[in-house]
Amino acid sequence: ALMNLQGFTAGRTLWIGGSPRSKEFPLANYNCSFLDFKEPHDVYEAVILLMSGSGVGFRVTEDNIASLNRLLPLKDYVEVEVEPYNYVGKPRTKEHTEVHLSEDGQTLRMVVGDSREGWAEAFVETLKAFSYTPEYKNVKKLVVNVDHVRPLGERLSRFGGYASGPEVLVEGILDAQKVVFRNPVGSWTQTKALDIMNLVGRTVVAGGTRRCLPAGTPVLTEHGPKPIEEVAPGDKVLTSAGFKSVVERIYQGSQEVI
């Protein structure tokens, strides 16, 4: 089909196809994906897909919400405590997230692993702790430890870029707490499910796996071309919908040009 111009490979496959990473992480070949948010594992899948560079669309239908209320029946409230950050350093870092339940079953301590799988597991365990799942039905307090998460700016070896640090993950967990326990208390709604998935996306996009325009790339502003590194919030740049104001600037460190 490709040779006969009847189809074309995904743009990401043009970037990563044939490399060792494409074989280790086949999902990195996808430009886009889609899922129904109806069970805890869907959050895991969304994190893995996003951290592999695929866009993720999702759906929160009434049937999906009924499934969440059945599989993840929400508690009225769970306290969240974040332990002070003290990076353990390599090679002591854990790849997967570990959880430890107190003897009385009321406190869950979560040690977040430093990998895409570790972050995905952390989001799932957090939602389970906020719910009356059988193993965590008595949990009243979630303690979060991020000592194994690389600090902001450390180089990422798999896909390039730089680590976003533990702060964005902690912020995502605390914001998830606010979303889950707002009114109506004790039940999922379409808005809550929508906000949780958007939180997942925001947390992942803050990481270093996204590609940027190289320094010096001209961007057309209302006052003429300007190098991308000089564009600042408030500048109006040309988009497909006309000139629009830049609202935020995110620094992701210096990356090699591919």
Side-chain angles (χ1 to χ4, degrees):
L2 292 176
M3 299 302 294
N4 294 323
L5 303 181
Q6 295 174 336
F8 199 68
T9 184
R12 285 191 59 82
T13 300
L14 293 178
W15 168 60
I16 200 172
S19 70
R21 296 306 182 199
S22 69
K23 297 176 182 179
E24 186 178 1
F25 303 103
L27 294 178
N29 286 281
Y30 297 157
N31 283 347
C32 306
S33 57
F34 181 84
L35 55 80
D36 280 286
F37 180 26
K38 58 184 178 181
E39 59 177 290
H41 190 69
D42 295 324
V43 174
Y44 181 94
E45 291 288 343
V47 174
I48 297 297
L49 283 162
L50 287 166
M51 284 193 164
S52 298
S54 173
V56 178
F58 62 92
R59 181 167 52 187
V60 287
T61 65
E62 292 182 0
D63 288 343
N64 292 348
I65 300 307
S67 177
L68 288 173
N69 279 317
R70 183 176 67 256
L71 299 174
L72 284 173
L74 296 178
K75 299 170 182 171
D76 291 343
Y77 188 74
V78 171
E79 179 185 354
V80 176
E81 175 187 327
V82 180
E83 295 181 346
Y85 180 56
N86 184 21
Y87 182 50
V88 299
K90 296 180 179 180
R92 298 173 56 200
T93 53
K94 299 179 184 296
E95 181 174 347
H96 290 277
T97 292
E98 297 180 356
V99 290
H100 308 277
L101 192 62
S102 62
E103 290 186 5
D104 61 7
Q106 295 187 10
T107 300
L108 181 70
R109 184 171 184 265
M110 179 172 69
V111 180
V112 181
D114 189 37
S115 66
R116 67 193 64 201
E117 294 83 6
W119 282 43
E121 292 158 355
F123 270 109
V124 172
E125 294 299 326
T126 295
L127 292 180
K128 289 168 63 178
F130 291 164
S131 311
Y132 285 109
T133 51
E135 62 268 46
Y136 299 152
K137 62 181 180 181
N138 295 321
V139 168
K140 297 181 179 180
K141 182 177 182 179
L142 173 64
V143 179
V144 181
N145 179 286
V146 290
D147 287 352
H148 294 260
V149 177
R150 280 166 288 187
L152 175 66
E154 187 164 318
R155 185 68 182 267
L156 301 175
S157 60
R158 288 177 173 176
F159 284 88
Y162 291 81
S164 57
E167 292 83 3
V168 293
L169 177 60
V170 168
E171 182 180 351
I173 291 173
L174 293 175
D175 284 347
Q177 179 195 32
K178 296 175 184 176
V179 169
V180 165
F181 297 121
R182 72 187 181 204
N183 290 324
V185 176
S187 63
W188 285 95
T189 64
Q190 287 178 304
T191 304
K192 286 184 181 181
L194 174 69
D195 287 349
I196 287 295
M197 291 298 279
N198 283 334
L199 277 175
V200 168
R202 187 193 71 185
T203 301
V204 172
V205 168
T209 60
R210 292 295 184 264
R211 293 299 180 268
C212 302
L213 295 173
T217 300
V219 175
L220 185 57
T221 73
E222 62 178 345
H223 300 299
K226 179 183 288 190
I228 181 66
E229 66 271 22
E230 296 180 10
V231 174
D235 289 345
K236 289 189 176 181
V237 300
L238 184 62
T239 73
S240 60
F243 284 96
K244 299 293 182 180
S245 294
V246 175
V247 296
E248 186 177 4
R249 180 173 179 169
I250 299 175
Y251 178 70
Q252 299 193 93
S254 300
Q255 304 181 29
E256 295 180 3
V257 177
I258 297 177

